[in-house]
Amino acid sequence: MSPLAQAVAHYREHGWARIPALAPLETLERLRARANEIATGRVTYPGLFFQPDTPTGNYADLAFGQGWAGPDVPYRKIEKLEKDPEFWAWLAGEQLRALVAEVIVGPVSLYRAVLFSKAPTTGSDLPWHQDAGRFWGLSRDPELQVWTALDDAPPESGCLEVFPGSHKLGLATPLGGVVPTARVLEAQADEHAIRVPAAAGDVILLHNHLWHRSGRNRTGNIRRAFTVCYLPRDTRCLRKKRDPRVFVPVFE
Ligand SMILES: O=C(O)CCC(=O)C(=O)O
C-alpha cells in the first residue's frame, strides 16, 4: 500500500490519520505570512469571518459575531480563507487533490476553509465536538476534514486530541457540534482520548463524526492549523431562512 492509502485506511478505521511532512516549508512560510497579514488586517477580503479568542481560555466565554476587532487581537478562528490565493493554492493543489481523491469519489466542493489559532500562553480550550449534524445544514454529513499544521503543535500547545473510533458511533446529538457532558461521561471519552501532536507541515485527516477537542496553549509559541472540509459535489445546503449556500467547486 502507498503511504497515502495506508493513511486513508487508518482514517477509515480510527477516524483520523497523520501524514507527516506533506506541506513543504516554502508553502508553510507563505501560509504563515498570509495568516499574519490577514489577522492584522493588511490583507482582507469581503466576507472573511473572524472570531476573537477569549482571554479566560474557557470556550464558554467566547463571543460570537464580533468580526475583525483590530490588528493586536488574537483570533481563535478565521473563516472563508478560500478567498485568499495562497490558502486556495494549498487546499486545491496537487498534494491535497491526490489525498482527497482517495476518500471522495468524483467531483469535490468546499464546505469550509478555516484557520484555528492558539496564541502563545492564552489559546483557549475547544471541547469534544463533531463537525456534522443539523447544525451544518447539509443533505448528507461530510466525512473528510484535512488539517494542516502551520506551526509545531506539541501536546503542551493544545494539540488535537481524538477519541479513536468514535466516528463509528454516529452523531451524539442530531444537531451535532459540541458533545453534551452526559454523552461524554457515558462514552468515557476522556479515558479513551489520545493526543495527536503534529510538526509543522504534517497533515491530519479527521472524519467529521470523530469526537475531537484541543486544549489551551501553554507554550510561548503560536499554534496555527488550517483545516479544510471537502464535500462530494452533489451535497446540497438545506437552509431555508436564507438562500441556500452554493459550494465552491475544488476538484473535478
Ligand atoms: O485545531 C484545533 O484546535 C481544532 C480543529 C478542529 O476542530 C477541526 O479542524 O475541526
Side-chain angles (χ1 to χ4, degrees):
M1 264 207 273
S2 71
L4 216 55
Q6 274 179 34
V8 169
H10 190 281
Y11 147 87
R12 289 197 196 288
E13 180 58 24
H14 303 285
W16 72 278
R18 184 193 290 104
I19 303 172
L22 191 69
L25 184 59
E26 193 182 280
T27 300
L28 293 177
E29 285 173 347
R30 282 208 303 270
L31 296 181
R32 287 176 194 144
R34 185 46 56 87
N36 284 338
E37 288 165 338
I38 291 176
T40 54
R42 278 175 287 151
V43 170
T44 190
Y45 306 95
L48 282 182
F49 169 92
F50 295 80
Q51 185 182 45
D53 212 339
T54 158
T56 64
N58 292 327
Y59 184 79
D61 294 336
L62 284 172
F64 292 88
Q66 276 190 335
W68 192 74
D72 302 321
V73 171
Y75 295 99
R76 184 184 88 89
K77 196 155 101 161
I78 304 178
E79 292 197 36
K80 299 268 180 218
L81 288 175
E82 66 273 20
K83 292 172 179 278
D84 178 77
E86 297 289 0
F87 282 99
W88 178 263
W90 175 241
L91 79 85
E94 191 44 38
Q95 281 103 330
L96 297 195
R97 190 201 61 74
L99 175 56
V100 172
E102 294 277 337
V103 178
I104 302 178
V105 178
V108 174
S109 301
L110 178 80
Y111 181 79
R112 67 174 190 175
V114 183
L115 186 80
F116 280 99
S117 181
K118 291 181 191 279
T121 68
T122 56
S124 59
D125 276 323
L126 175 60
W128 286 119
H129 67 282
Q130 297 176 298
D131 289 315
R134 272 213 312 271
F135 185 60
W136 282 49
L138 295 172
S139 55
R140 66 169 132 157
D141 280 347
E143 297 193 343
L144 180 62
Q145 305 203 88
V146 177
W147 184 101
T148 304
L150 301 195
D151 306 296
D152 289 341
E156 55 280 11
S157 72
C159 68
L160 279 177
E161 295 178 41
V162 303
F163 174 179
S166 53
H167 63 306
K168 294 184 178 170
L169 304 173
L171 284 171
T173 65
L175 199 58
V178 173
V179 179
T181 307
R183 291 287 289 116
V184 170
L185 295 174
E186 189 190 348
Q188 299 188 310
D190 293 355
E191 287 80 345
H192 287 101
I194 63 164
R195 288 178 167 166
V196 185
D202 290 358
V203 160
I204 293 170
L205 307 186
L206 287 174
H207 192 291
N208 289 62
H209 282 175
L210 187 76
W211 296 23
H212 57 290
R213 67 179 179 181
S214 60
R216 296 181 191 180
N217 184 0
R218 303 189 191 279
T219 75
N221 304 315
I222 191 165
R223 194 232 83 169
R224 289 164 298 189
F226 177 51
T227 182
V228 181
C229 178
Y230 296 95
L231 299 170
R233 180 74 48 84
D234 60 1
T235 310
R236 287 175 303 105
C237 173
L238 299 180
R239 77 180 178 193
K240 299 248 162 44
K241 287 191 182 145
R242 284 183 288 156
D243 286 344
R245 280 182 64 187
V246 177
F247 300 112
V248 181
V250 188
F251 303 121
E252 293 311 316

